[in-house]
Every structure is written in structure tokens, then in C-alpha cells.
Amino acid sequence: MRILFLGDIVGRCGREAVLSRLPGLRCSLSLDLVIVNAENASHGFGLSPAIATSLFENGVDVITLGNHSWDRRDLIGHISSAPRIIRPINFPPGTPGNGSVQVELADGRKALVVNAMGRLFMDPLDDPFRCVNELLARHRLGVTTQAIVVDIHAEATSEKWALGNVLDGRVSLVVGTHTHTPTADHRILPAGTAFQTDAGMCGDYDSVIGMCKEPAMTRFLRKMPGERLQPAEGEATMCGIMVETDDATGLARRLAPLRQGGLLAQTLPDF
């Protein structure tokens, strides 16, 4: 299975980059499954149902979220009827929506997508390690599902690395989101799980993590509240990771980063 995961979409320029480029990439890379983190897609904070619909209409299969899941109140009433939008699995019981979804491809193969959120320097949620382990007790890679992808939305690299090693051999890909900075550590772990600490963002890198520079810098310089942060609107770099899995085992065969457009060095998977 050929899977593309795109990091946090930030604002209009990030959305436009994904919407304009993804249909062509699905064809040229022969993608079977596309997952995007879109918790910053609506003006940098949250996800609106209308934006979610446009992403699905242009080639996205599953949307993951994070700590900005409920910044758009209209998503709260929508998410329960939109199973392909998932929020962190370790939100408290009774939270709207689900933390995972199993999708079936046109050829009958299945893929499980899981969203979890870290706790170091983040909101004090339930234990993501326990929640993901409990879910995986009901899904066996290569048996009940041909691929499993885990988006760990977390600040601390140590927490992401730890989860990757805990899940090594049991999932196809563990990929981090939230920091908006693509890391250069993509690799296949010893037991066959693909890993990257952070996929980066789909947004304008002439910014501070996708936000206009001046208000963000002022907050650091003066340590006082200022104007509301707004997404930068220059040309976006679309950042993500592509993995190819073995259908028999569900483990990773190969993976490569993707960076297209904007300021960062460009790279496109060549397999």
C-alpha cells in the first residue's frame, strides 16, 4: 500500500497548496491512501466542516486533528457524522468523534488510521500509550488490516520516539505532528515500522510556525499579549512523508519525505 501523510495544514496558503497539488500527486505517485493533519487549516486555528469537505473532494481520505480540535465550534456538531475526521484517541470518554477509523480501499484492502496526542508540555489528557495499545489489541497488522498509521500530535521529541519504539513491528507508520518543522530522521525501525519525528507543515515557512512573524516575535520580545496571531500568506511548502508497505505483513518497505513548493529544499519520493 502506498500511503502519503501530510503535516499540519496552516491557513489558506497551506490549504491551497494541498488542494492544487494533491490530485496530481495521487496519480503520479500511485497513492492508495492520503492522510492529512488539518487542525490548523481554518485561519490557523481549527477545522471547519466546509474546509474538511473540500479536502475530501480533492483527494484526502482521512483527516487527523490535535490540540486545536475544538477551536471551530461548528466542528463539534459535525464530527460525529464524519467518521473520516478523527481527533486524539486519548481525549476523555464522552468527547465527540473518534480517535481512529478503519477505511476500506476500492480493492478491498483496509487501513487503520489512529490519532493520539502527547502529554509532555501539552494538555493533561489520558495516557496515549495505553489508549493506542488498547486499540491495537483489537487490530492485528497484516491480518485484520493491511496497514496501520499513527499520528502522534506532540511537542516533545522524546515522547514521539518512545511511542515509535513501543509500536515498532505492530504498525506501518508512526509520524509526529504539531511542531510544524519537518525532521530529517525518517527511517524504518528495527521491527519494520516507518517513523518520522515530525512531518512538518503545509504552510508558509517565511513565518513563525506558519504565523505572521511580527506579532509572534513581539510576544517573545515583550512577554505581553498582543494582536491575535494570523497565518502567514506567502507561498506554502507542502510537507509530508510517503511510505510503501507490504500487504502481507503491513510493515514498511520504504519511505521518503515530500516537500513541494515554497522555501524549503524540494524533494519528491522516487519509488
Side-chain angles (χ1 to χ4, degrees):
M1 191 179 299
R2 296 167 70 90
I3 302 167
L4 177 65
F5 183 96
L6 295 177
D8 309 47
I9 298 174
V10 182
R12 181 177 60 185
C13 69
R15 296 196 312 267
E16 290 178 349
V18 172
L19 294 174
S20 64
R21 292 175 181 269
L22 183 56
L25 288 173
R26 282 208 75 133
C27 180
S28 63
L29 296 176
S30 301
L31 298 172
D32 297 303
L33 180 68
V34 175
I35 307 159
V36 303
N37 185 290
E39 69 141 15
N40 301 121
S42 184
H43 307 290
F45 298 93
L47 172 70
S48 72
I51 290 173
T53 297
S54 69
L55 290 170
F56 288 136
E57 290 175 345
N58 284 273
V60 172
D61 296 299
V62 177
I63 294 172
T64 61
L65 299 171
N67 56 300
H68 290 288
S69 293
W70 313 125
D71 285 7
R72 285 290 304 246
R73 298 293 182 90
D74 47 354
L75 187 67
I76 297 174
H78 177 76
I79 194 169
S80 294
S81 61
R84 290 189 294 152
I85 304 173
I86 58 175
R87 44 73 175 169
I89 194 171
N90 51 323
F91 275 177
T95 301
N98 293 293
S100 67
V101 64
Q102 188 171 50
V103 296
E104 184 170 340
L105 306 186
D107 58 13
R109 289 178 296 170
K110 296 178 180 179
L112 176 69
V113 184
V114 188
N115 191 190
M117 196 159 96
R119 297 192 294 181
L120 292 178
F121 315 115
M122 303 282 281
D123 294 336
L125 299 181
D126 293 344
D127 181 0
F129 292 80
R130 176 182 57 79
C131 292
V132 175
N133 274 325
E134 288 178 353
L135 175 68
L136 294 183
R138 305 191 299 272
H139 295 274
R140 188 176 173 189
L141 186 63
V143 178
T144 62
T145 187
Q146 280 67 57
I148 301 176
V149 176
V150 178
D151 170 2
I152 172 63
H153 195 80
E155 187 78 38
T157 55
S158 59
E159 194 169 18
K160 297 177 183 182
W161 278 39
L163 185 64
N165 282 284
V166 165
L167 300 181
D168 188 19
R170 294 192 288 154
V171 305
S172 309
L173 170 66
V174 175
V175 59
T177 55
H178 181 65
T179 71
H180 296 194
T181 303
T183 55
D185 62 339
H186 61 281
R187 62 196 188 276
I188 297 177
L189 300 176
T193 293
F195 176 82
Q196 185 180 20
T197 302
D198 202 288
M201 70 172 179
C202 298
D204 179 7
Y205 279 82
D206 185 20
S207 66
V208 174
I209 64 167
M211 298 296 172
C212 292
K213 291 185 287 188
E214 293 299 332
M217 291 188 295
T218 298
R219 292 189 179 200
F220 286 104
L221 290 169
R222 298 180 181 173
K223 292 298 179 183
M224 294 179 63
E227 62 182 281
R228 178 180 169 85
L229 296 177
Q230 299 288 338
E233 292 295 348
E235 183 185 356
T237 305
M238 186 169 69
C239 289
I241 189 82
M242 179 178 166
V243 60
E244 182 181 86
T245 65
D246 185 311
D247 285 338
T249 65
L251 297 173
R253 286 177 171 168
R254 46 189 177 174
L255 78 161
L258 179 147
R259 294 187 300 274
Q260 291 288 290
L263 298 177
L264 302 189
Q266 307 290 287
T267 183
L268 192 67
D270 60 357
F271 55 84

